[in-house]
C-alpha cells in the first residue's frame, strides 16, 4: 500500500470540500423544484442547511487551494500559470455569485445567480483537473 503523506491529506481535503461545494449545489438544484411544492419555508430551510456546510467547505477549498499552489510552486510558469489565473477567476466568480444568490430578493435574480454559481463551480472543477494534469 502507498504511504499517506501531506500531499494525500491536502488533496483529500480539497476533493472532499469540492464535493460538498459543487455536489451539494447540484443536489440542491435538483431538490428545489420538489421542495417548492411543500412551501417556500421548506425550500429556504434546505438552502440554509446547505449554507451551513457549503461556506465552510468553500473556506477549506480556498485554504487547500493556497496549499496546492505552494506545494506545486515549481509548476507555476507558462501555460500552467495562465491556467492557474483562470482558476482563481472562476473560483472568485463561484464564491461571489453564490453570495449574490443567497442575498437575492427576486426569483429572477435567485435563478440567474444560482445558475451562474453552478456553472462557475463546475468550471472550477474542470480547470482544477486541467491543473492536476
Amino acid at each position: 500500500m502507498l504511504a499517506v503523506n501531506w500531499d494525500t491529506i491536502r488533496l483529500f481535503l480539497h476533493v472532499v470540500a469540492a464535493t460538498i461545494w459543487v455536489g451539494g449545489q447540484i443536489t440542491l438544484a435538483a431538490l428545489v423544484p420538489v421542495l417548492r411544492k411543500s412551501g417556500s419555508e421548506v425550500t429556504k430551510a434546505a438552502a440554509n442547511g446547505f449554507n451551513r456546510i457549503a461556506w465552510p467547505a468553500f473556506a477549506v477549498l480556498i485554504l487547500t487551494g493556497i496549499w496546492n499552489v505552494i506545494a506545486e510552486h515549481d509548476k507555476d510558469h507558462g501555460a500552467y500559470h495562465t491556467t492557474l489565473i483562470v482558476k482563481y477567476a472562476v473560483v472568485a466568480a463561484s464564491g461571489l455569485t453564490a453570495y449574490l444568490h443567497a442575498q437575492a430578493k427576486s426569483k429572477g435574480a435567485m435563478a440567474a445567480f444560482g445558475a451562474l454559481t453552478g456553472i462557475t463551480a463546475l468550471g472550477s472543477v474542470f480547470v482544477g483537473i486541467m491543473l492536476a494534469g
Side-chain angles (χ1 to χ4, degrees):
M1 185 170 152
L2 297 173
V4 174
N5 58 35
W6 285 111
D7 288 338
T8 309
I9 293 166
R10 170 178 47 86
L11 293 173
F12 172 77
L13 292 172
H14 199 70
V15 169
V16 169
T19 301
I20 295 166
W21 180 255
V22 180
Q25 289 179 39
I26 293 168
T27 302
L28 195 55
L31 290 175
V32 164
V34 175
L35 295 174
R36 279 191 187 130
K37 293 176 184 174
S38 298
S40 63
E41 293 304 315
V42 173
T43 306
K44 184 71 173 167
N48 288 340
F50 174 65
N51 282 336
R52 282 193 295 278
I53 63 166
W55 287 111
F58 190 74
V60 170
L61 281 170
I62 298 298
L63 294 173
T64 56
I66 292 167
W67 189 5
N68 287 338
V69 170
I70 293 166
E72 303 290 336
H73 71 278
D74 58 321
K75 295 181 182 178
D76 193 7
H77 55 82
Y80 186 92
H81 181 77
T82 302
T83 306
L84 188 59
I85 297 299
V86 170
K87 171 79 173 191
Y88 293 156
V90 176
V91 168
S94 183
L96 177 62
T97 56
Y99 174 78
L100 294 172
H101 172 74
Q103 300 303 311
K105 302 298 180 208
S106 72
K107 287 183 182 182
M110 274 199 263
F113 288 125
L116 288 170
T117 302
I119 290 166
T120 55
L122 288 170
S124 180
V125 170
F126 186 85
V127 177
I129 290 168
M130 290 173 67
L131 289 167

